[in-house]
Amino acid sequence: MTVNFQYVDVDVSETLSAFTEEKLKSLFNKYEFLISATVYFKQDENKHDTGKICNIELSLPGPRIFATSTERNFEVAVRETINDLERQLKKRKEVFKTH
């Protein structure tokens, strides 16, 4: 499991990285065809109170899967983004089963 973190205009946080990696580990365990993940944390300058953005891009066979969410804090944004990815992965797994 390879996870790359990129903090864009946000201070690097080891706790946030560990939290995100823990959440992604469950996806990697559930879907063995995943190769790597790239996580971007950003701050929206226009919305200081709700502008915490988390983007996650997953590498796997076929097209990459991408999800993003904007929330009040990064932990909630990570959870929402991973829920979106989980939905997309379930659909992708169904496609793999039919072939």
Side-chain angles (χ1 to χ4, degrees):
M1 168 174 112
T2 306
V3 181
N4 298 317
F5 291 97
Q6 300 209 0
Y7 290 84
V8 182
D9 298 330
V10 178
D11 294 335
V12 175
S13 166
E14 291 298 321
T15 350
L16 186 57
S17 297
F19 173 80
T20 307
E21 208 160 326
E22 187 66 35
K23 295 289 183 186
L24 283 171
K25 194 181 289 185
S26 66
L27 281 184
F28 276 87
N29 290 339
K30 196 170 184 178
Y31 302 98
E32 61 282 341
F33 53 83
L34 291 175
I35 300 166
S36 67
T38 306
V39 182
Y40 301 92
F41 292 110
K42 300 177 186 176
Q43 173 72 45
D44 187 355
E45 290 84 28
N46 298 333
K47 300 176 185 169
H48 291 287
D49 55 342
T50 60
K52 308 287 194 268
I53 302 169
C54 174
N55 299 335
I56 301 179
E57 182 179 306
L58 295 178
S59 273
L60 58 150
R64 293 180 178 192
I65 291 180
F66 179 81
T68 185
S69 64
T70 305
E71 297 292 336
R72 286 192 175 277
N73 63 35
F74 283 119
E75 288 80 6
V76 175
V78 166
R79 278 193 220 107
E80 288 298 314
T81 306
I82 288 180
N83 286 342
D84 291 347
L85 290 170
E86 177 103 39
R87 243 178 275 124
Q88 293 179 48
L89 285 167
K90 282 180 186 174
K91 289 180 186 176
R92 179 71 63 90
K93 194 169 186 176
E94 291 301 315
V95 171
F96 281 154
K97 286 181 183 177
T98 58
H99 294 150

